[in-house]
Amino acid sequence: MNKIVKGDQVVVIAGKDKGKRGQVIRVLGGKVIVSGVNAVKRHQKSNPMRGVEGGIIVKEMPLDISNVAILNPETNKADRVGIKLIETEGKIKRVRFFKSNGSIIGA
């Protein structure tokens, strides 16, 4: 289980976009793509066969997962994440929790 997953609200803690917040669009191994963060302009050639329009497009590039921290909605600050095992109805389940206050993420 990854500590940061698709749909999480995160804060950038290092790099040119430090302090920006956004939602994780995609997790790519050790990198994440966050909406509205690390945006670059790319010149794209049109391709009528594929229906691709040319011009200057703005797209988000991947950030290293170590440069983002999950946003704790209770404190409204960046927080560290831990994983612990809890037993529910006889089954052991891995859950993520905030290190600052111990509350379970997504519960």
Side-chain angles (χ1 to χ4, degrees), residues 4-99:
I4 295 180
V5 296
K6 179 180 175 181
D8 283 345
Q9 291 292 324
V10 294
V11 180
V12 179
I13 57 173
K16 66 174 185 163
D17 291 324
K18 182 177 180 178
K20 286 189 180 178
R21 297 177 179 191
Q23 188 171 3
V24 175
I25 300 171
R26 197 166 169 203
V27 178
L28 308 162
K31 296 187 180 280
V32 289
I33 298 177
V34 182
S35 64
V37 177
N38 201 23
V40 294
K41 291 184 178 180
R42 289 282 178 252
H43 295 263
Q44 185 164 343
K45 191 174 181 180
S46 64
N47 188 344
M49 296 293 280
R50 288 190 180 162
V52 176
E53 200 172 310
I56 300 171
I57 59 165
V58 178
K59 66 179 197 176
E60 291 94 5
M61 296 299 286
L63 283 167
D64 199 88
I65 207 160
S66 65
N67 293 339
V68 296
I70 194 164
L71 182 71
N72 189 340
E74 293 175 19
T75 61
N76 208 24
K77 291 182 181 177
D79 205 346
R80 294 181 301 143
V81 177
I83 295 174
K84 63 182 172 182
L85 302 172
I86 59 169
E87 190 175 339
T88 56
E89 301 164 6
K91 295 181 182 179
I92 297 174
K93 189 176 177 184
R94 296 174 73 196
V95 293
R96 300 181 301 155
F97 68 96
F98 291 116
K99 292 267 189 160

